[in-house]
Amino acid sequence: MEESRLFTIAGHSIRLVFTDSSVNNMALLPSFAPFAAKADTAAQELLFTLTVDDSLRPAKNRKLVRKFDTGNGDTLVYQLSDGGYQYIIRDIYDRDCCLLICDSRFSNCHCALNGDYSMRSFGLNDALMLIFAFAGSFHHTLLVHASCVSHNGKAFPFIAKSGTGKSTHSSLWMKHIEGTELMNDDNPVVTVSPDGEVWLHGSPWSGKTPCYRNVKAPVGAMVRIERAPENRIERLKTIEAFASLLPACSSMKWDTIIYNNLCDAITRIVEKVPVYTLYCLPDEEAAHICQTTVSP
């Protein structure tokens, strides 16, 4: 039995279609429940549609572009002759969990899932995250690898290399700075509205921390975390801010259109929002130094 569901993420409507809901259904996506669309969003323009159909087979005319490690497994990327893409999403055990085929704008996508519940859930979540990141690039919407808190009505995303301490710094704010709330701990969404305002939104993807909140707040500042023997913070110039933010955003550098879309959105963000580097220890003082600078 076919099942169709609508969701709203960062103001964008997406449609998910299960061709056989007895095998693949919403039980695979518990983190999407807070983002279920209300009836009055059904008429909105869709960011993308993903059809889950296990009868889908790999495209014939394809060329391997690259293979990359997501941290949770390898993903193989193929360019199709019509300009679209095919992905093979594998988990940490090197098992094929999902075959994903998308058009060049990531607006019309199909996938086939494989394996047990955990494999199917992992494959479908990763496919949706990937599609959202690249479809969003056409609408000044970025999926950012960051941990983000809200304070005084503003959002403050912390970006850093994996293992540097983004989540640790968020937890220090929540522990020592009154009025702090966690918005997302791994993959919040940043949008630039038509009037130039920059907003941060919760998402269904939050890494190892189950923080799936359908919330949003204007971005007060963005902070890059770097470990250091003492605590200090400095504001970056525009070019430095761009270079600092770029690696934290999901992108495909070989796709000129999507990459240019990404760079344009980042340029708009750093022209509007202050970006800092916090050189710090994982301690209370670091949280207070950061907070008094970016959210006085």
Side-chain angles (χ1 to χ4, degrees):
M1 181 180 295
E2 184 172 294
E3 178 183 1
S4 178
R5 294 293 187 95
L6 283 168
F7 303 91
T8 302
I9 303 171
H12 297 293
S13 295
I14 70 171
R15 184 187 300 277
L16 186 57
V17 179
F18 299 103
T19 60
D20 184 355
S21 60
S22 66
V23 178
N24 302 309
N25 49 55
M26 287 306 302
L28 299 174
L29 297 170
S31 65
F32 274 67
F35 301 88
K38 298 178 181 178
D40 59 0
T41 64
Q44 291 184 6
E45 181 181 355
L46 293 173
L47 181 65
F48 67 84
T49 296
L50 173 62
T51 301
V52 184
D53 181 358
D54 287 351
S55 68
L56 183 70
R57 294 293 178 264
K60 293 182 179 180
N61 299 316
R62 64 185 189 270
K63 178 181 179 181
L64 182 65
V65 177
R66 66 173 296 183
K67 174 181 177 181
F68 63 92
D69 183 0
T70 65
N72 294 310
D74 290 331
T75 295
L76 281 70
V77 187
Y78 298 86
Q79 181 87 57
L80 305 183
S81 58
D82 62 1
Y85 285 96
Q86 174 178 290
Y87 300 84
I88 303 295
I89 298 172
R90 294 174 176 166
D91 64 13
I92 197 170
Y93 304 106
D94 203 33
R95 300 178 297 185
D96 288 359
C97 298
C98 180
L99 164 67
L100 172 65
I101 298 178
C102 307
D103 64 7
S104 60
R105 290 181 65 92
F106 291 83
S107 59
N108 186 23
C109 309
H110 295 76
C111 77
L113 304 178
N114 182 56
D116 59 18
Y117 169 84
S118 63
M119 292 171 63
R120 289 172 180 269
S121 178
F122 170 80
L124 183 55
N125 266 286
D126 261 35
L128 285 162
M129 183 166 60
L130 183 154
I131 298 167
F132 188 90
F134 301 139
S137 73
F138 293 91
H139 302 273
H140 295 131
T141 296
L142 305 179
L143 193 64
V144 182
H145 184 46
S147 180
C148 182
V149 299
S150 62
H151 184 258
N152 285 342
K154 298 289 183 70
F156 299 95
F158 306 123
I159 60 177
K161 295 180 180 178
S162 296
T164 302
K166 300 182 296 295
S167 296
T168 298
H169 194 72
S170 288
S171 66
L172 289 169
W173 273 57
M174 290 186 290
K175 181 178 180 180
H176 300 294
I177 299 172
E178 186 177 356
T180 299
E181 293 185 357
L182 185 67
M183 295 183 68
N184 185 276
D185 201 34
D186 195 51
N187 281 287
V189 180
V190 176
T191 61
V192 183
S193 62
D195 63 2
E197 292 300 313
V198 180
W199 293 82
L200 187 136
H201 310 253
S203 83
W205 308 287
S206 188
K208 297 177 181 178
T209 304
C211 182
Y212 312 113
R213 303 182 62 201
N214 191 0
V215 295
K216 73 172 186 176
V219 178
M222 307 187 81
V223 182
R224 185 168 190 85
I225 305 293
E226 289 195 16
R227 283 285 166 252
E230 60 182 13
N231 298 313
R232 63 184 179 89
I233 189 169
E234 64 178 36
R235 183 169 178 174
L236 302 180
K237 296 178 181 179
T238 302
I239 295 177
E240 296 171 328
F242 181 96
S244 184
L245 182 55
L246 179 61
C249 301
S250 299
S251 69
M252 295 192 297
K253 292 183 178 180
W254 61 86
D255 188 306
T256 304
I257 294 175
I258 289 178
Y259 188 67
N260 286 344
N261 290 342
L262 170 71
C263 291
D264 179 61
I266 293 176
T267 299
R268 293 168 185 255
I269 291 169
V270 299
E271 288 176 345
K272 185 74 175 181
V273 174
V275 180
Y276 297 84
T277 295
L278 175 67
Y279 302 93
C280 64
L281 296 162
D283 61 13
E284 179 180 353
E285 182 191 51
H288 284 296
I289 287 176
C290 185
Q291 182 265 318
T292 55
T293 301
V294 304
S295 181

